[in-house]
Amino acid sequence: MSKPRFAMYWAAACGGCEIAVLNIDEKVLELDAHFDVAFWPAAMDVKYKDVEAMEDQSILVTLFNGSIRTDENEHLARLLRRKSKLLVAFGSCANEGCIPGLANLSPREQIFERAYTSPSTENPDRIRPQPACQVAEGTLTLPPLQPVVRTLDQVVEVDYHVPGCPPESHQIAAVLDVLIAVVKGEAQLPPKGAVLGAGNSTVCDECPRKRDVKRIDKLARIQELPPLATDVCLLEQGLMCAGPATRSGCNSRCPNVGAPCIGCYGAAPDVLDQGARLMTAIASVVEAQEPEDIDRVLDGLPDPAGTFYRFGLAHSLLRANRAALAEKP
Amino acid sequence: MADNTQQERVGVYVCHCGSNIAGVVDVQSVARFAAEDLKGRGVVVARDYTFMCSVTGQELIEQDIREQGLTRVVVAACSPHLHEGTFRGACGRAGLNPYLAEMASIREHVAWVHTDKAVATAKAKAIVNGAVERVLRNEPLEAIRVPIEAGTLVVGGGIAGLQTALEIAEAGYPVHLVEREPSIGGHMAQFDKTFPTLDCAACILTPKMAAAGSHPHIQLHTWSEVEKVEGYVGNYTVTVKKKPRYVLEDVCTGCGICIEKCPVLVVDEAHDAGIGYRKAIYTPFAQAVPNIPVLDPDTCTYYVGGKGGCRACEKFCPTEPNSIVFDQQEERITLRVGNIVLATGWDLFDARRIHQYGYGRLANVFTNLELERMCNAAGPTGGKVVLRDGQTAPARVGIVHCVGSRDRNYNNWCSSICCMQSVKLAHLVKERTGAEVFNFYIDMRTPAKDYDEFYQRVLDEGVHFIRGKVAEVSDVPRGPDEQGPLFVQVEDTLAGLQRRIPVDMVVLSAGLEPRRDSKAVGKTFGIACSTNGWFIEKHAKLDPIATMTEGVFVAGCAQGPKDIPASVAQGAAAAARVLSYIRQGELALEPVRASVNEAQCSGCRLCNGLCPFNAISFIEERRVTEINAALCQGCGTCVAACPAGAISGSGFSNEQLLAQIEGLLLDVARVPEPA
């Protein structure tokens, strides 16, 4: 009997998810042992037309990382959906937009303006990338940017979600073990829509730091604070930590080494909007008698959108800047 | 979102509320919309009716539940605050779980705030649509039943609190009456006569004080304050701080020898409003209840002059053992009560704040309370009205109304009693001294029984009433001919001219203010104050005694300025509310409560300090937060704050709220989907 097909694809993302998969070390050999790797552009040379030629549903599982930013991303999302039995949104970008999703704060024109003509860019001729460009050899094309970044499940139906930026290697290995067990007939598939490779609580659940009743009277960036106690909740020490609103599963890696959780595992179970949750939670415990007290605490947060919605903007209730949402593709 | 809403049968009832709603909203159109457009959402009956809250209206619902097999009910009418109970009751009687009914507020939220009929009707439809979507996701809930402790805590021993305590005690239930001063009686004990009948305040108050002092069901805790309140309706645990009296309460006979022998005279800022004296060991007044003195360590020579000085009170105390205990400590006692009545009263507006009226600067400017004490036969002047020199009777007296009240620079509210109080004081001054009395008023407010008759009587007695706000009280003559010694500068708005009235004495009718610590006291008891500082009642008209915290009631001036009859009525009303709770034996609490999903709780402790009802505790061993369902009042603060989404509020699930919001957005242009 031939091995079931496996695919992995990299849309609008940094590539970290690909590295994370390779970080599972020799476990990757088990992947090869149980699957026929049919499509994985980062690892092997297969053309889109080869995928297009495959029969529908002929890939058992596709790990799709990256958000949907360009027409090409969308094309591949739809193509892989058609060809795969199980489509897995893999990593933060595919699930909630992640850092690329923060571009949803601006319409495309502003993004191009910022990227190609702001003072930080050396571009005296104000050249901008074009969807099509004539050169001596013929026409070169680039996939056009869509008005906003979307998550995979805003474009196609998704079977499973693996959160994280990137997903932790031990969690990837665990997900792989489940898939292999299913292939071997030793396990049932998890219910559709399940979140795999993560916990069911929040980062605080795994964080060993001691915590008390919260009352926040200041927030500051780590370099502005005195040396922090190593065993006390970072939030209580004035550091904006997203741990309380972020799904568990990473073994609280960042707080363990004194860095605040930045929220990469996304919203906790049953939470619709991680940023809104975190914001309401923090707002609830700000120690303020007067409006000025609130301002003072908020002044410690130079980038609220980027702090609360660092990972989740594209999948939040607001999703994007209204002007950007209203744009024609 | 999984949609399990297909099999429900919904009834929608649109109330006209006479013309309250139907005058602005096309109610037939709303009912038709529900019947036709929402058929696909399970609406099987939609009716409009003149008054849904009437018996006939309720029967319509009950009949439809029975005959049409309704499983959900939406009543589009007024607000849940007013009639949710009514319609839940109707559902309950017809065998439908009461929590499967929802109200759509199309009166307060639509009819009363719009004039354009088309817009109002469209909005009413959206609100009904939202309510239908929400009710489809409601779950049946069961009321939480808790037993009720029979004891009641009454805070404040003024006339309102006394009335409450006596009514409850007479019904045979225990009352703990906590009073911060050494004696019960409150402000009324300071007054001489009461308007409009001029009966002596002490004569009508002291029998009630004595009755409370000796009642087998009333335990007095004077010179005490409530420090902490824990628990919930029916089951409050209250910690009372008993300040040291330095006198053994159960030994002292109240003979008064210690007071007589005490050599230290102190200005009595409390009972005598600063114009009389008391001793360092004292009872505030002769009829004090309990008749046990209290020793003031700030003025007593034993403490002030180095340990061991004087000790006259101890030497002459005839009791065995000696009642004087110089090293008495404060004590804390714990009370278990089912209900709490706050009758904490008022403070007098500080007339010094209005500098141009001269109180505290010009000797013969008095407050109404000082004059009350002077008029009182047991007061510092033995009932004589005299100038600050203590002997001269005034020949001309000006009484200024609305001092600090109805004044945007101080307090906006009308203190409600000052007109009548000023008229009464005018009468008393004229009676005692024969002086010419001028009352300076903005408007006369004499609306209660026999009040205006009393005003007419005092007018007939020859007291002058000048309509105008006093600009200034001055002691500086404008020329060598002007005879003061004081001048009241006022615009007489009826005569249309500026007047300058020379007088010997000015009395400032200072207004009523909330107790200076009312906000902190409110916090202790878990109830809110208005921005002004008066305690907020549950409903300004229909529930003026209850508060938003079940089992905590307010009576008397703590809720807002009022006269003695109104305070007594509120005191009695609070007792009736408490007795009805006690008689029920157990209480059905709203099942809208928050609960923690322990698997999802990470123990981050963000919610731990937020609960206004102290329902949240942290379980250290399991590192999770727990919510006491009986303490929880369903306010939702913790639900909103929980960053993990681990706390949910029954009756307010995300599914319900989001479905309702989507329903409300019926006609709002959708944000376009990007391709």
Side-chain angles (χ1 to χ4, degrees):
Chain A
M1 196 182 89
S2 65
K3 290 187 285 186
R5 278 179 176 159
F6 169 92
M8 180 149 189
Y9 184 70
W10 169 358
C14 69
C17 287
E18 308 274 344
I19 310 294
V21 171
L22 296 177
N23 249 353
I24 62 177
D25 301 333
E26 67 276 8
K27 191 98 189 169
V28 82
L29 299 176
E30 271 183 59
L31 176 71
D32 182 57
H34 291 91
F35 291 95
D36 168 20
V37 178
F39 178 58
W40 188 351
M44 54 191 277
D45 187 14
V46 179
K47 303 300 183 199
Y48 291 171
K49 63 177 167 38
D50 301 330
V51 182
E52 280 155 10
M54 290 177 194
E55 257 181 58
D56 285 359
Q57 304 248 314
S58 63
I59 303 173
L60 176 64
V61 56
T62 295
L63 304 186
F64 191 103
N65 72 85
S67 51
I68 311 302
R69 168 85 268 188
T70 67
D71 286 357
E72 182 189 16
N73 300 149
E74 179 170 356
H75 171 67
L76 263 289
R78 294 189 186 283
L79 178 64
L80 287 167
R81 171 70 277 182
R82 208 162 62 238
K83 301 298 174 191
S84 314
K85 281 203 176 73
L86 303 174
L87 181 65
V88 180
F90 189 84
S92 178
C93 290
N95 278 294
E96 44 178 358
C98 196
I99 306 293
L102 281 174
N104 282 3
L105 292 167
S106 320
R108 278 174 298 188
E109 176 54 32
Q110 277 178 24
I111 297 172
F112 281 118
E113 181 73 23
R114 176 85 183 173
Y116 292 99
T117 46
S118 70
S120 65
T121 307
E122 174 69 27
N123 184 11
D125 301 329
R126 302 175 73 84
I127 295 167
R128 285 205 187 171
Q130 301 298 321
C133 162
Q134 296 299 328
V135 292
E137 292 82 359
T139 306
L140 289 178
T141 59
L142 276 176
L145 240 53
Q146 295 187 340
V148 297
V149 169
R150 284 179 294 165
T151 63
L152 187 59
D153 68 357
Q154 286 168 348
V155 178
V156 294
E157 207 174 309
V158 167
D159 299 299
Y160 299 112
H161 304 267
V162 177
C165 180
E168 287 294 315
S169 297
H170 75 278
Q171 294 285 18
I172 299 173
V175 172
L176 220 50
D177 282 339
V178 171
L179 289 174
I180 291 167
V182 170
V183 169
K184 286 167 140 175
E186 290 165 3
Q188 293 285 311
L189 277 172
K192 190 176 157 132
V195 173
L196 308 178
N200 283 319
S201 181
T202 68
V203 173
C204 299
D205 201 38
E206 298 172 334
C207 177
R209 287 171 182 267
K210 281 201 293 284
R211 61 205 73 140
D212 206 336
V213 179
K214 303 257 180 312
R215 282 274 169 249
I216 295 180
D217 56 5
K218 63 158 188 212
L219 285 172
R221 285 177 288 179
I222 195 162
Q223 67 271 27
E224 297 163 345
L225 290 168
L228 297 173
T230 54
D231 57 349
V232 175
C233 171
L234 292 168
L235 198 51
E236 287 166 29
Q237 300 187 64
L239 203 55
M240 183 58 227
C241 178
T246 303
R247 190 185 271 270
S248 56
C250 61
N251 291 333
S252 68
R253 276 191 87 143
C254 300
N256 285 355
V257 295
C261 169
I262 55 174
C264 80
Y265 259 65
D270 303 331
V271 170
L272 280 174
D273 189 317
Q274 181 190 18
R277 273 284 163 182
L278 185 57
M279 209 158 21
T280 338
I282 299 298
S284 301
V285 295
V286 165
E287 185 83 1
Q289 299 302 324
E290 304 296 332
E292 300 79 64
D293 299 340
I294 301 174
D295 292 342
R296 192 170 40 74
V297 175
L298 288 185
D299 284 347
L301 275 178
D303 177 15
T307 306
F308 295 118
Y309 286 101
R310 186 178 279 130
F311 296 93
L313 183 64
H315 205 260
S316 69
L317 291 169
L318 295 174
R319 291 181 52 189
N321 173 295
R322 276 185 85 134
L325 271 177
E327 274 185 27
K328 294 272 172 297
Chain B
M1 205 180 296
D3 194 354
N4 308 317
T5 57
Q6 291 311 315
Q7 67 284 10
E8 303 302 345
R9 294 173 65 78
V10 186
V12 175
Y13 301 86
V14 185
C15 183
H16 298 201
C17 195
S19 62
N20 265 316
I21 295 172
V24 185
V25 174
D26 181 347
V27 285
Q28 280 90 8
S29 164
V30 176
R32 220 166 30 244
F33 158 79
E36 290 163 13
D37 296 29
L38 303 184
K39 201 182 279 172
R41 302 301 298 140
V43 174
V44 292
V45 186
R47 304 180 194 278
D48 64 279
Y49 186 70
T50 334
F51 288 108
M52 281 310 300
C53 60
S54 66
V55 174
T56 331
Q58 294 179 53
E59 278 170 2
L60 263 181
I61 301 176
E62 292 173 49
Q63 192 182 339
D64 285 347
I65 293 172
R66 292 199 190 93
E67 291 173 7
Q68 313 257 359
L70 298 186
T71 60
R72 297 286 191 275
V73 167
V74 169
V75 184
C78 49
S79 72
H81 206 68
L82 226 54
H83 271 307
E84 192 171 66
T86 309
F87 299 120
R88 281 182 176 169
C91 291
R93 284 194 297 278
L96 184 66
N97 184 289
Y99 295 90
L100 300 177
E102 274 298 324
M103 284 191 76
S105 173
I106 61 166
R107 192 180 72 172
E108 283 83 341
H109 285 180
V110 183
W112 282 356
V113 291
H114 293 288
T115 47
D116 182 322
K117 197 158 184 169
V119 171
T121 305
K123 185 171 165 188
K125 288 175 185 173
I127 290 177
V128 167
N129 192 43
V132 167
E133 287 304 320
R134 180 190 166 94
V135 82
L136 286 170
R137 292 159 178 86
N138 278 20
E139 287 185 15
L141 300 173
E142 293 300 332
I144 301 166
R145 309 202 76 85
V146 292
I148 295 176
E149 197 74 46
T152 303
L153 171 70
V154 177
V155 187
I159 186 61
L162 278 176
Q163 189 69 30
T164 306
L166 286 168
E167 302 263 2
I168 296 172
E170 281 296 294
Y173 297 105
V175 175
H176 293 278
L177 179 55
V178 174
E179 167 61 52
R180 142 198 303 192
E181 297 298 327
S183 167
I184 55 173
H187 282 294
M188 193 178 162
Q190 295 176 285
F191 303 158
D192 179 37
K193 298 284 194 295
T194 54
F195 58 77
T197 47
L198 293 177
D199 32 10
C200 141
C203 309
I204 57 175
L205 174 68
T206 50
K208 282 186 188 290
M209 291 166 61
S214 61
H215 203 290
H217 294 315
I218 298 181
Q219 181 152 14
L220 290 187
H221 305 274
T222 52
W223 204 234
S224 301
E225 289 184 53
V226 174
E227 204 167 55
K228 195 164 77 176
V229 178
E230 290 170 305
Y232 50 92
V233 56
N235 295 275
Y236 285 110
T237 304
V238 180
T239 310
V240 175
K241 182 175 84 182
K242 246 176 126 48
K243 297 180 275 192
R245 260 189 139 89
Y246 305 102
V247 175
L248 291 177
E249 285 183 43
D250 36 8
V251 179
C252 172
T253 60
C255 71
I257 292 176
C258 54
I259 303 174
E260 194 187 312
K261 297 297 178 189
C262 175
V264 180
L265 263 191
V266 185
V267 174
D268 181 2
E269 298 285 355
H271 187 72
D272 267 343
I275 60 163
Y277 293 94
R278 61 162 171 82
K279 296 292 185 66
I281 186 165
Y282 67 102
T283 50
F285 51 101
Q287 307 98 314
V289 175
N291 184 25
I292 298 167
V294 49
L295 194 156
D296 171 15
D298 291 340
T299 50
C300 170
T301 315
Y302 176 87
Y303 304 94
V304 176
K307 271 223 158 119
C310 184
R311 305 180 88 130
C313 50
E314 191 188 36
K315 272 179 225 143
F316 290 98
C317 177
T319 64
E320 186 58 45
N322 198 300
S323 291
I324 309 290
V325 182
F326 286 110
D327 59 354
Q328 201 176 49
Q329 299 296 313
E330 66 180 25
E331 273 179 66
R332 277 173 181 72
I333 51 175
T334 305
L335 308 173
R336 298 266 307 151
V337 295
N339 293 280
I340 296 172
V341 178
L342 289 178
T344 49
W346 51 277
D347 277 327
L348 192 71
F349 173 79
D350 181 2
R352 283 178 189 83
R353 289 173 60 196
I354 309 184
H355 196 67
Q356 63 271 29
Y357 287 177
Y359 181 67
R361 180 164 53 86
L362 305 175
N364 287 314
V365 178
F366 291 82
T367 65
N368 57 303
L369 207 54
E370 287 174 324
L371 184 59
E372 288 279 1
R373 292 308 300 148
M374 268 197 264
C375 291
N376 193 309
T381 60
K384 284 209 278 288
V385 176
V386 287
L387 296 179
R388 201 69 77 176
D389 65 6
Q391 1 188 340
T392 319
R396 292 163 68 85
V397 177
I399 299 179
V400 183
H401 295 216
C402 295
V403 174
S405 310
R406 304 182 66 206
D407 185 335
R408 69 179 60 183
N409 296 311
Y410 304 98
N411 296 323
N412 280 326
W413 61 81
C414 167
S415 289
S416 130
I417 59 147
C418 323
C419 281
M420 286 303 290
Q421 157 188 289
S422 305
V423 171
K424 175 194 76 179
L425 290 172
H427 166 84
L428 293 178
V429 168
K430 203 163 177 62
E431 181 189 70
R432 309 271 157 109
T433 62
E436 189 166 16
V437 182
F438 300 85
N439 273 46
F440 303 96
Y441 68 99
I442 314 178
D443 295 295
M444 284 305 293
R445 298 197 164 174
T446 56
K449 189 178 172 186
D450 292 336
Y451 280 15
D452 207 66
E453 291 88 328
F454 181 70
Y455 169 41
Q456 299 296 336
R457 170 185 161 183
V458 174
L459 270 172
D460 291 343
E461 286 172 3
V463 170
H464 307 292
F465 283 82
I466 295 171
R467 184 176 182 274
K469 191 159 174 70
V470 170
E472 185 190 26
V473 176
S474 165
D475 62 346
V476 183
R478 285 215 172 137
D481 301 335
E482 221 183 25
Q483 297 289 321
L486 294 175
F487 306 95
V488 178
Q489 179 75 42
V490 61
E491 181 192 359
D492 185 332
T493 57
L494 296 181
L497 46 89
Q498 282 286 333
R499 296 180 68 172
R500 204 166 151 81
I501 314 273
V503 291
D504 301 320
M505 175 192 245
V506 169
V507 178
L508 303 179
S509 224
L512 271 52
E513 284 193 331
R515 287 284 186 195
R516 313 233 189 281
D517 57 352
S518 67
K519 290 212 162 82
V521 170
K523 201 161 181 236
T524 304
F525 291 91
I527 67 166
C529 293
S530 67
T531 48
N532 296 329
W534 306 107
F535 291 140
I536 299 179
E537 62 283 341
K538 193 165 189 179
H539 190 285
K541 279 150 261 173
L542 300 178
D543 212 348
I545 304 297
T547 66
M548 293 308 277
T549 301
E550 287 176 86
V552 177
F553 301 90
V554 286
C557 288
Q559 179 257 359
K562 54 182 65 65
D563 55 17
I564 293 169
S567 297
V568 171
Q570 279 207 339
R577 295 295 301 272
V578 168
L579 288 172
S580 109
Y581 267 149
I582 297 173
R583 286 288 294 152
Q584 287 168 41
E586 62 169 22
L587 276 179
L589 301 184
E590 270 279 298
V592 174
R593 293 291 187 260
S595 59
V596 179
N597 178 342
E598 278 202 17
Q600 280 171 242
C601 175
S602 68
C604 74
R605 307 197 64 179
L606 257 153
C607 61
N608 285 189
L610 299 179
C611 181
F613 310 100
N614 298 322
I616 296 181
S617 50
F618 185 66
I619 310 300
E620 200 71 54
E621 311 86 74
R622 301 206 302 282
R623 294 225 311 178
V624 291
T625 286
E626 224 173 53
I627 294 174
N628 180 326
L631 284 176
C632 172
Q633 300 280 312
C635 73
T637 305
C638 61
V639 181
C642 177
I647 309 181
S648 52
S650 49
F652 289 85
S653 67
N654 271 350
E655 288 70 31
Q656 283 171 291
L657 298 185
L658 289 168
Q660 183 169 20
I661 291 169
E662 276 194 36
L664 284 169
L665 297 176
L666 179 66
D667 283 329
V668 174
R670 294 281 165 143
V671 177
E673 283 291 315

